[in-house]
Amino acid sequence: MRKKILAANWKMNLTQPEVKAWLHTYQTLDWSALNASLRVYPSAIYLQDIQRAGLHCGAQNVYFEASGAYTGELSIEQLQSVGVQSVLIGHSERRLLFKEDDTLVAQKVSACARAAFPFILCCGEAQDIREAGTHLANVLAQLSENLRLLSSADLHLLVVAYEPIWAIGSGLSADLDQITEMQQAIRNHLVELFGSAGHQVPILYGGSVNAANAEAIFSCPNVDGALVGGASLDPLVFHQLWKALQA
Ligand code: PGA
């Protein structure tokens, strides 16, 4: 049975006092669960605050080189040395705003595999691709490109997050039919690429998940949890999503 995952992607939000307040409220709530894991992906300066609070702490980004003259970047070894447990790769904001292409994303995937470092690979189509009706081919091509250096033996490191770009931060999540269609296509594609081990890869949905739509989204087949931006910044709202995941 695949483990469910609820992951908070804080992006470039929250000051240190706000992180402290988030963690304070977090400690007052009941996060117990069967077969589900909670993760927080904060700005890098707060990684150790998250780790010390006993939460799964993940980085929002990583560079594929081991060390050297790469100003502003973080290596896998550096992240592991402070207890970071996983990383986001290929978020659409990295791809669009910071020009990360499929080649770079594949290099990051390969570096994670070499270091046995778990990662969430984000994929998703833009609005014009959705309108043209080529969204399935577009997302599956991203997966083929991004995962081409990953072998089946390293598949246990992979979580996929399907995040339609038009749904991120827009308040307009994909509808249940759209989510079901894409998550099934991703599942089939993982099995095509990696054989039956592809059934074990958790596939998350992301894009305007909130307290009102979470339970319905989590009930879709092949949705193993969510990657959540805006609704993760308030621990009380995030806790409602956690409850919806158990429902
Ligand atoms: P959102 O962001 O929940 O604010 O739409 C999701 C994401 O970008 O991971």
Side-chain angles (χ1 to χ4, degrees):
M1 190 181 170
R2 290 187 300 272
K3 197 165 190 168
K4 294 179 180 178
I5 296 169
L6 185 65
N9 174 11
W10 285 354
K11 311 191 181 188
M12 197 176 73
N13 291 302
L14 304 179
T15 61
Q16 191 172 51
E18 288 167 342
V19 169
K20 287 206 163 84
W22 194 102
L23 290 171
H24 180 77
T25 304
Y26 162 82
Q27 310 283 8
T28 67
L29 300 166
D30 176 12
W31 298 90
S32 56
L34 288 174
N35 198 38
S37 77
L38 189 72
R39 301 182 177 191
V40 178
Y41 293 79
S43 296
I45 48 173
Y46 310 131
L47 283 165
Q48 287 189 282
D49 296 303
I50 302 303
Q51 194 239 346
R52 287 193 201 106
L55 274 153
H56 174 117
C57 108
Q60 293 178 11
N61 189 22
V62 71
Y63 197 53
F64 66 88
E65 294 285 4
S67 62
Y70 305 102
T71 301
E73 295 296 316
L74 296 168
S75 73
I76 294 173
E77 193 183 3
Q78 288 176 317
L79 293 173
Q80 288 175 321
S81 74
V82 295
V84 175
Q85 290 160 279
S86 66
V87 66
L88 302 182
I89 298 181
H91 191 281
S92 61
E93 287 149 18
R94 302 279 340 150
R95 294 180 194 254
L96 294 170
L97 301 174
F98 302 100
K99 312 293 176 232
E100 293 196 8
D101 61 13
D102 284 327
T103 303
L104 179 58
V105 173
Q107 283 170 307
K108 293 183 177 196
V109 167
S110 173
C112 284
R114 280 196 306 278
F117 193 45
F119 59 98
I120 297 181
L121 175 67
C122 305
C123 58
E125 81 285 358
Q127 176 85 46
D128 58 332
I129 301 275
R130 169 65 62 173
E131 281 165 8
T134 52
H135 47 283
L136 293 180
N138 178 266
V139 169
L140 301 186
Q142 284 174 43
L143 286 175
S144 296
E145 274 294 306
N146 298 165
L147 296 174
R148 72 190 155 79
L149 301 174
L150 190 72
S151 71
S152 308
D154 295 319
L155 207 58
H156 61 283
L157 302 169
L158 171 67
V159 172
V160 172
Y162 167 58
E163 299 201 302
I165 296 169
W166 46 274
I168 294 177
S170 65
L172 183 77
S173 74
D175 70 33
L176 301 185
D177 289 341
Q178 292 170 325
I179 295 173
T180 300
E181 177 192 45
M182 185 62 82
Q183 307 280 129
Q184 184 64 56
I186 292 173
R187 172 70 59 217
N188 294 346
H189 197 58
L190 290 171
V191 172
E192 269 168 39
L193 292 175
F194 298 103
S196 62
H199 287 293
Q200 301 313 317
V201 177
I203 308 175
L204 313 183
Y205 168 78
S208 295
V209 177
N210 58 41
N213 63 22
E215 198 169 327
I217 290 173
F218 294 148
S219 71
C220 293
N222 283 303
V223 172
D224 300 310
L227 180 58
V228 183
S232 72
L233 297 175
D234 179 338
L236 296 173
V237 175
F238 196 52
H239 188 252
Q240 286 181 271
L241 304 190
W242 182 246
K243 289 286 167 207
L245 191 63
Q246 330 294 321

